[in-house]
Amino acid sequence: MQHLQNYFPTLVVETLLGRNSPKISRHERKTSTWWSGVPKASPDSIFGIVEAFKKDETPHKINLSVGAYRDDNGKPYVLPSVLKAEEILKSKNLNKEYALAEGLSEFNSLSFDYAFGTCNEVGKKGLNATVQTLSGTGALSLFASFAKKFFPHAKTMYLPKPTWGNHAPVFKNAGLETKDYKYYDFKTFGLDYDGMLEDLCKVPEHSMVLFHACAHNPTGMDPSKEQWEELCELVKQKKLFAFFDMAYQGFATENPDNDAFAVRHFSKNNLKFAVAQSYSKNLGLYGERTGTLTVIADSQEERAKIISQLKTLIRTTYSNPPIHGARIVTEILSNSQLKKEWMAELKGMVQRLVSIRKALRDALVKEGSKHNWDHIVKQVGMFSYTGMKPEQVDKITKEHHIYLTKDGRISIAGVTTKNVEYIACAMHQVTK
Ligand code: PMP
């Protein structure tokens, strides 16, 4: 104590010992910790459902909340092409050294070609600033941080309404503001294209707008090619900055080139935009966190500067990305035989989803439902936006042990030939 007083005046010592803090009771002093002021965050909507599902002891419970592919036995699916790529990697005896901050360069360049096509002018001119990311979410959040620091205009990201539940939190977390534009007509269960145009026409010039490149989550409704062409014109006229979230390339139409139509069309029209890419769904690499972010630059000098800043953001958050998933993708995309096998497996996944959509709609009709469920068949991708209301969702969970998000979205991948009738019966019971 004496030693301490040589360095600090008495008052400071008294304060340090808590004698000058009458506002804090002895009890509080005992119970308050460094982190006692941390409020509990509200649980992520999907992971909260997964927790509730785990606790449910009913054997016939069904989880339709998570967007991960399941086979017709309801089991996760590791693609055979992925297993083959892993065998090849094993035989190569590679080391586990760090990747560069921007990731594996061959992976980045093959991924860019997968998204933009091999004959793309941007690629030929070397204008793509492409970096490996922690899958699609990592690409979104990296872009958000980059935009927060360097986007020269209003830092607002316009999002379709509805959109993937994590979009707004990711952008807000980086300090951007988010606003909505109309996307879906809840009455017709279709794309509200007119509403979308109306809202996007009102967006201030030089704003950032997010588009789902294909297989829109949660609605499963995408603009047609003609509509994308018109949207491209609008983006050009209004000088908007487009950011494509392409989390499902290949999952909408089973043809990755078709699914990349919007991205390639915008690129053909010389627009400068950004793309987040993910291999979670189309290659089943969910837990490997494999994706890219591409920002198109105006010149090679600009590209070098963008890359340098993306690398700085990566370096200060996680230093460098994981290598295993990127190596798998590199093996597959650089080996024509393996790529062919992957394309067949991707087709197989999409075709199962298409046929189970039809089976679900037919089973609802068979149950005698008076509602029109055709939208289930019209929608594409991993999800169906069923139109079930929150109270119907509560009921189907409580009474039938079927778990889904409050907005009535079901993961079609969780529906199988074995459970489709049970699901249809339950949907009919809660919607009649
Ligand atoms: N964007 C959309 C629209 C998604 O649906 C998802 C996954 N649900 C992601 C991005 C991110 O997925 P991941 O981080 O696994 O690539």
Side-chain angles (χ1 to χ4, degrees), residues 69 71 76-88 282-285 328 331-332 337-346 348-349:
Y69 184 78
D71 66 14
Y77 176 53
V78 182
L79 275 65
S81 56
V82 168
L83 293 174
K84 278 194 188 168
E86 284 183 319
E87 281 306 313
I88 297 171
N282 54 14
L283 209 43
L285 292 182
I328 293 172
E331 282 304 324
I332 295 176
Q337 177 54 31
L338 261 190
K339 189 173 174 198
K340 214 162 123 194
E341 289 175 33
W342 171 34
M343 287 298 117
E345 291 153 12
L346 180 58
M349 290 194 281

Side-chain angles (χ1 to χ4, degrees), residues 190-367:
L191 181 72
D192 179 7
Y193 184 61
D194 289 342
M196 185 180 183
L197 286 185
E198 187 191 332
D199 277 4
L200 289 178
C201 281
K202 285 189 218 139
V203 164
E205 275 193 1
H206 305 115
S207 297
M208 292 183 279
V209 178
L210 183 141
F211 295 109
H212 294 227
C214 59
H216 182 273
N217 174 8
T219 69
M221 296 304 296
D222 290 336
S224 66
K225 286 186 178 169
E226 293 69 35
Q227 289 168 338
W228 276 125
E229 283 164 5
E230 212 166 15
L231 286 166
C232 176
E233 210 39 53
L234 190 153
V235 165
K236 213 192 261 180
Q237 301 281 325
K238 295 251 2 181
K239 300 183 181 63
L240 303 175
F241 184 88
F243 179 32
F244 284 99
D245 182 0
M246 188 147 67
Y248 298 89
Q249 191 186 354
F251 241 90
T253 64
E254 70 183 58
N255 177 341
D257 295 326
N258 260 339
D259 288 1
F261 176 82
V263 166
R264 293 181 192 183
H265 183 77
F266 274 53
S267 170
K268 226 190 269 166
N269 279 269
N270 211 18
L271 284 164
K272 305 288 178 271
F273 56 97
V275 183
Q277 242 185 313
S278 164
Y279 290 101
S280 290
K281 324 280 168 164
N282 54 14
L283 209 43
L285 292 182
Y286 307 94
E288 298 290 357
R289 313 313 294 140
T290 313
T292 71
L293 171 69
T294 290
V295 181
I296 302 176
D298 222 32
S299 64
Q300 293 209 6
E301 298 75 66
E302 191 177 281
R303 175 195 173 269
K305 289 180 192 163
I306 296 171
I307 287 270
S308 73
Q309 291 297 346
L310 293 175
K311 279 164 64 174
T312 303
L313 288 167
I314 292 167
R315 189 86 184 114
T316 52
T317 44
Y318 53 92
S319 194
N320 45 71
I323 50 180
H324 189 62
R327 282 175 172 172
I328 293 172
V329 173
T330 305
E331 282 304 324
I332 295 176
L333 286 178
S334 61
N335 176 329
S336 58
Q337 177 54 31
L338 261 190
K339 189 173 174 198
K340 214 162 123 194
E341 289 175 33
W342 171 34
M343 287 298 117
E345 291 153 12
L346 180 58
K347 217 171 184 174
M349 290 194 281
V350 176
Q351 285 175 356
R352 187 184 96 67
L353 298 181
V354 168
S355 74
I356 209 71
R357 282 179 183 279
K358 195 168 170 302
L360 180 58
R361 192 267 319 264
D362 293 351
L364 278 156
V365 173
K366 209 166 136 202
E367 283 296 328

Side-chain angles (χ1 to χ4, degrees), residues 86-105:
E86 284 183 319
E87 281 306 313
I88 297 171
L89 289 173
K90 210 167 160 199
S91 72
K92 288 188 175 172
N93 253 332
L94 299 166
N95 64 41
K96 300 278 185 195
E97 295 290 294
Y98 292 127
L100 298 169
E102 68 268 38
L104 307 185
S105 61

Side-chain angles (χ1 to χ4, degrees), residues 2-9:
Q2 186 54 52
H3 189 67
L4 201 57
Q5 268 167 355
N6 291 341
Y7 291 93
F8 296 106

